Amino acid sequence: MGCSVVERIRTDGDKGVRKAIPPCCLKAMGTCPSEAKCHETVVAGWFSEGRIWALCEAHSLKVERILYRGKSDYQEILVFESSGYGKVLALDGIVQLTEKDECAYQEMITHLPLCSIPSPKNVLVIGGGDGAVLREISRHLSVEVIDICEIDQMVIDVCRKFFPNLSVGFEDPRVQLHVADAVDFLKKAPAGKYDAIIVDSSDPIGPAQELVKKSFFEIAAMSLRPGGVLCNQAESMWLHTHLIQDMLSTCCETFKGSVHFAWTSVPTYPSGTIGFLLCSTEGPPVNFLDPVNPIEKQEGALKFRRELRFYNSEMHRAAFALPSFLKKELSTVYNSQLRYCSSSVYVFVFSPPHLISVLDSTARQRLVWAFG
Amino acid sequence: MGCSVVERIRTDGDKGVRKAIPPCCLKAMGTCPSEAKCHETVVAGWFSEGRIWALCEAHSLKVERILYRGKSDYQEILVFESSGYGKVLALDGIVQLTEKDECAYQEMITHLPLCSIPSPKNVLVIGGGDGAVLREISRHLSVEVIDICEIDQMVIDVCRKFFPNLSVGFEDPRVQLHVADAVDFLKKAPAGKYDAIIVDSSDPIGPAQELVKKSFFEIAAMSLRPGGVLCNQAESMWLHTHLIQDMLSTCCETFKGSVHFAWTSVPTYPSGTIGFLLCSTEGPPVNFLDPVNPIEKQEGALKFRRELRFYNSEMHRAAFALPSFLKKELSTVYNSQLRYCSSSVYVFVFSPPHLISVLDSTARQRLVWAFG
């Protein structure tokens, strides 16, 4: 089930392959930023995500008043007060965050990786100009350096004005802001510098389109220490399975440790869910599924600056439970990736019914998977 | 955060109390079915949930063609082919199911209760005229009797015509259909007859408004055997916390076994999530959090009639992981319910940090809760 496939062809910049994209994925894979302009998104007091309207569905928010409307070198920026979700930030006509549900996205994208490794010290945020991921990283007292590489200074400035509860993250003295292109920044970063990289990007169109390519993941992996972790925003399991499969495939090729998909509930994102791809480099094994560094055991973390509203260790574990349809779709990727692990020793564990766990010796979590 | 509270007053039929309802909950608590008519919901080729439009947000689906439009004695019925979600059933202007995501709701509301007890034999479905919960119950070979009490024959007939993959559930010879009011039906049911009752109702307006009242839960509990289970649709944790608190409070008063809230992702329901209240009667303890009767171990269950698309034992366990904000809001209800357990012996277990587990001797799962 899903939108019927249309004959829209894209060229994949990395692989040179051409394939049809279902319209349900066009929203995330659009290549022309001009398709998404915010100036037509507020009509008769309602904001609607424009590109989705042209396809299958739309989510609309009632607008109390528009607070800011501008255009940076990279994207159109819109801030409005909504009737039900507090203040809303939209970039190129797509909701990035609302005050009501930002806690779900920001807390999960931050603590899923940081609670999966012991004592993270050097952390890099890519994107995240609103500051909320920084706010969440600040809960971790072990962290010594928080680099943030955001391409758009205007996003930072607008959020400082309208979202002080998010941009408070910039006030942490450990934060070092780099207004730059992420790929350029990573090329100059010392190899193995970071314990964790969090990619808090907008959808992979416009300025963020480089951040789902293999070349990006390769330099990100180079910047991580052995057993370091990357967490990437990974769209909706209901709408963008093709994109998730592509990202998963690329990450399995690039990251020789663990690679896992997780998801959570964010009402104002399409389909009400958002996914995360969690990857680790070869080195000390990382078990993303069970936090080795639980937030509840970290001094003061639950209430630093404000109480945690969404994340806890139970939600961490639950995020990796996948619906059967998604397990099936992703298992094809994991299966095809077995050839990339040729240097590893495999242990195949057959458990009835329909369960095969595949462990490899260098990264025991990497291929643990249920085929059903 | 949330919609600002308006001075709309309701009278609670059961308790005689009057209190203001936040507009975010009005959708679920509306008392006038005439507010929700489907004839104005399809405009310019788009279906939108009408009552939500008048409030804070709307979810809209592109309509390929309208397949059926009618009015029963109880509600307006609309079936249309959507562009992205297959065929859609709407009652009184509210989406009940779509072909794309019905698997999530139907599989979870069925298997959460049935996999929590060993060998269920007698099962009652209230509502569920589309037949899909019956389809899911059929996977359980231990079940001998499947009673279904649906008030609206027209819903059954329309679904038989337009949703054969759902109404196939009626073809199971164990199914006995009762077209009747659920309260009347339960009043005549033998005490202790059922192992499980599944309340697959529409929102608590119109014909379903009786199904969230204390009087309903009391007769439902009477119809369950000791240690029997009830699973009730319980709205959105993001939008209807007041309603969930009310239902939880009522169920804690009524069911002397376990009472738990669970949730899952359903894109076409408001906020993209739906909740479930799981309750058990006094008797053999029921641990909803870990399925004692896992679907994967039941002969042929995974592929009976069609493959399970959403539910599995990992999703079962994950459904009970609650965001911190919800734990906090529901803990006030659990706290206030301690007084109802005066006949039990309590064991308080204090675990750092911010965790208090309260076990009562008659139902060890009932009050296990994390305050944080």
Side-chain angles (χ1 to χ4, degrees):
Chain A
M1 185 52 57
C3 300
S4 57
V5 174
V6 294
E7 291 304 311
R8 174 158 172 161
I9 305 296
R10 75 178 166 100
T11 300
D12 186 304
D14 269 2
K15 297 177 182 173
V17 297
R18 291 161 63 86
K19 55 184 175 179
I21 306 292
C24 54
C25 286
L26 286 178
K27 175 246 164 190
M29 288 301 290
T31 52
C32 175
S34 63
E35 285 178 3
K37 299 297 184 191
C38 71
H39 62 272
E40 291 171 350
T41 53
V42 178
V43 177
W46 286 82
F47 168 90
S48 296
E49 291 192 330
R51 279 167 301 160
I52 308 179
W53 271 103
L55 298 169
C56 306
E57 61 183 313
H59 188 234
S60 307
L61 297 172
K62 193 166 192 319
V63 177
E64 291 291 313
R65 62 185 185 282
I66 293 173
L67 300 172
Y68 178 83
R69 194 172 241 175
K71 191 172 186 324
S72 74
D73 291 342
Y74 303 97
Q75 51 208 343
E76 301 219 21
I77 302 173
L78 174 69
V79 180
F80 64 90
E81 182 76 40
S82 70
S83 302
Y85 285 85
K87 277 181 278 192
V88 178
L89 172 69
L91 298 179
D92 282 342
I94 302 292
V95 171
Q96 302 299 306
L97 61 89
T98 81
E99 286 183 310
K100 178 169 179 169
D101 63 5
E102 58 94 6
C103 59
Y105 174 77
Q106 315 283 5
E107 294 179 15
M108 293 296 276
I109 199 171
T110 304
H111 304 302
L112 284 176
L114 294 191
C115 292
S116 294
I117 52 174
S119 296
K121 289 187 176 54
N122 296 309
V123 182
L124 169 64
V125 180
I126 290 172
D130 54 69
V133 168
L134 304 176
R135 178 193 72 204
E136 294 305 316
I137 296 171
S138 292
R139 297 181 191 271
H140 295 261
L141 296 183
S142 68
V143 171
E144 296 167 359
V145 171
I146 311 174
D147 282 332
I148 174 169
C149 178
E150 163 63 56
I151 201 169
D152 197 340
Q153 178 70 49
M154 194 182 281
V155 169
I156 298 170
D157 296 339
V158 168
C159 289
R160 276 198 166 124
K161 182 169 182 186
F162 294 104
F163 297 93
N165 292 332
L166 285 77
S167 63
V168 67
F170 283 101
E171 293 174 14
D172 190 309
R174 295 170 289 181
V175 169
Q176 294 175 18
L177 170 62
H178 309 266
V179 177
D181 174 79
V183 175
D184 292 342
F185 178 83
L186 280 171
K187 281 178 180 168
K188 295 173 191 160
K193 176 176 181 183
Y194 295 107
D195 300 283
I197 298 176
I198 297 168
V199 187
D200 174 19
S201 66
S202 47
D203 289 328
I205 57 171
Q209 60 189 322
E210 295 300 311
L211 304 184
V212 293
K213 291 186 176 173
K214 190 165 194 293
S215 52
F216 167 76
F217 287 119
E218 282 172 348
I219 53 169
M222 287 286 289
S223 308
L224 286 169
R225 67 160 168 83
V229 294
L230 178 138
C231 182
N232 204 325
Q233 188 264 93
E235 302 292 338
S236 161
M237 63 185 182
W238 287 101
L239 303 176
H240 312 121
T241 48
H242 306 79
L243 181 60
I244 294 166
Q245 284 175 318
D246 283 354
M247 288 175 71
L248 187 69
S249 175
T250 301
C251 287
C252 279
E253 287 172 34
T254 309
F255 291 87
K256 301 305 182 190
S258 321
V259 180
H260 281 279
F261 182 82
W263 66 278
T264 200
S265 157
V266 183
T268 54
Y269 289 165
S271 85
T273 66
I274 190 80
F276 307 101
L277 259 185
L278 288 131
C279 314
S280 70
T281 54
E282 196 166 5
V286 176
N287 180 2
F288 286 113
L289 282 59
D290 193 20
V292 69
N293 182 27
I295 197 84
E296 293 86 355
K297 292 191 177 171
Q298 295 182 49
E299 186 186 341
L302 296 182
K303 298 194 177 183
F304 188 77
R305 289 229 166 91
R306 75 176 200 191
E307 272 191 315
L308 274 175
R309 294 181 182 176
F310 195 87
Y311 177 90
N312 53 56
S313 288
E314 294 151 48
M315 290 297 288
H316 181 123
R317 294 184 195 95
F320 293 92
L322 305 187
S324 301
F325 78 85
L326 188 65
K327 279 176 129 174
K328 190 174 177 181
E329 285 163 355
L330 299 191
S331 69
T332 62
V333 179
Y334 280 97
N335 281 338
S336 70
Q337 292 300 323
L338 284 173
R339 63 192 169 87
Y340 289 101
C341 310
S342 56
S343 64
S344 302
V345 177
Y346 300 114
V347 181
F348 287 77
V349 183
F350 293 84
S351 322
H354 310 293
L355 284 172
I356 305 175
S357 299
V358 187
L359 313 183
D360 78 70
S361 61
T362 54
R364 296 184 60 81
Q365 285 304 318
R366 186 175 187 212
L367 294 167
V368 176
W369 200 256
F371 301 89
Chain B
M1 185 52 58
C3 301
S4 57
V5 174
V6 294
E7 291 305 312
R8 175 158 171 161
I9 305 296
R10 75 178 166 101
T11 300
D12 186 305
D14 270 3
K15 297 178 182 172
V17 297
R18 291 164 61 86
K19 55 183 176 180
I21 306 292
C24 54
C25 286
L26 285 179
K27 175 248 164 192
M29 289 299 291
T31 51
C32 175
S34 64
E35 285 179 2
K37 299 297 182 190
C38 70
H39 61 272
E40 292 171 349
T41 53
V42 179
V43 177
W46 285 82
F47 168 90
S48 296
E49 290 192 330
R51 279 167 302 161
I52 307 179
W53 271 104
L55 298 169
C56 307
E57 61 183 313
H59 188 233
S60 306
L61 297 172
K62 193 164 192 320
V63 177
E64 291 291 312
R65 62 185 184 282
I66 293 174
L67 300 172
Y68 178 83
R69 194 172 244 175
K71 191 173 186 323
S72 74
D73 290 343
Y74 302 97
Q75 51 209 341
E76 301 219 22
I77 302 172
L78 174 69
V79 179
F80 64 90
E81 182 76 40
S82 70
S83 301
Y85 285 84
K87 278 180 278 192
V88 178
L89 172 69
L91 298 179
D92 282 344
I94 301 292
V95 171
Q96 302 300 303
L97 62 88
T98 80
E99 286 183 311
K100 178 169 178 167
D101 63 4
E102 57 93 7
C103 58
Y105 174 78
Q106 314 283 5
E107 293 179 15
M108 293 297 277
I109 200 171
T110 303
H111 304 301
L112 283 176
L114 295 191
C115 292
S116 295
I117 53 175
S119 296
K121 288 185 177 55
N122 295 309
V123 182
L124 169 63
V125 180
I126 290 173
D130 55 69
V133 167
L134 304 176
R135 179 192 70 203
E136 294 305 316
I137 296 171
S138 292
R139 298 181 191 271
H140 294 261
L141 296 184
S142 67
V143 171
E144 295 167 359
V145 172
I146 310 174
D147 282 333
I148 173 167
C149 179
E150 162 66 55
I151 200 168
D152 196 340
Q153 179 70 50
M154 194 183 281
V155 169
I156 299 169
D157 295 340
V158 168
C159 290
R160 276 197 166 124
K161 181 169 182 185
F162 294 104
F163 297 94
N165 292 332
L166 285 78
S167 63
V168 67
F170 283 101
E171 293 174 15
D172 190 310
R174 296 170 288 181
V175 169
Q176 295 176 16
L177 170 62
H178 310 266
V179 178
D181 174 80
V183 174
D184 292 343
F185 178 83
L186 280 170
K187 281 178 180 168
K188 295 172 191 162
K193 176 176 181 183
Y194 296 107
D195 300 283
I197 298 176
I198 297 168
V199 186
D200 174 19
S201 66
S202 48
D203 290 327
I205 57 171
Q209 60 190 321
E210 295 300 311
L211 304 183
V212 293
K213 290 185 175 174
K214 190 164 192 295
S215 51
F216 167 75
F217 288 118
E218 283 172 347
I219 53 168
M222 287 286 289
S223 307
L224 286 168
R225 67 160 169 83
V229 294
L230 177 139
C231 182
N232 203 325
Q233 187 265 92
E235 302 292 338
S236 161
M237 64 185 181
W238 287 101
L239 303 175
H240 313 121
T241 48
H242 306 79
L243 182 60
I244 294 167
Q245 284 176 319
D246 284 354
M247 288 175 71
L248 187 68
S249 174
T250 301
C251 287
C252 279
E253 288 171 33
T254 308
F255 290 88
K256 301 305 182 189
S258 320
V259 179
H260 282 279
F261 182 83
W263 65 278
T264 201
S265 158
V266 183
T268 54
Y269 289 164
S271 85
T273 66
I274 191 77
F276 307 101
L277 259 185
L278 288 132
C279 313
S280 70
T281 55
E282 195 166 5
V286 176
N287 179 3
F288 287 113
L289 281 60
D290 193 20
V292 70
N293 183 27
I295 197 85
E296 294 86 357
K297 292 191 176 171
Q298 294 182 51
E299 187 187 341
L302 297 182
K303 298 195 176 183
F304 187 78
R305 288 228 167 91
R306 74 176 201 190
E307 273 192 315
L308 275 175
R309 295 181 181 175
F310 195 86
Y311 177 90
N312 53 57
S313 288
E314 295 150 48
M315 291 297 288
H316 181 123
R317 294 184 194 96
F320 294 92
L322 305 186
S324 302
F325 78 85
L326 188 66
K327 279 176 129 174
K328 189 174 177 180
E329 285 163 356
L330 299 191
S331 69
T332 61
V333 178
Y334 279 96
N335 282 338
S336 70
Q337 292 300 324
L338 284 173
R339 65 194 166 86
Y340 289 100
C341 309
S342 57
S343 64
S344 303
V345 177
Y346 300 113
V347 182
F348 287 77
V349 184
F350 293 84
S351 321
H354 310 293
L355 285 172
I356 305 175
S357 298
V358 186
L359 313 184
D360 79 70
S361 61
T362 55
R364 297 185 59 82
Q365 285 302 319
R366 185 176 186 209
L367 294 166
V368 177
W369 201 255
F371 301 88

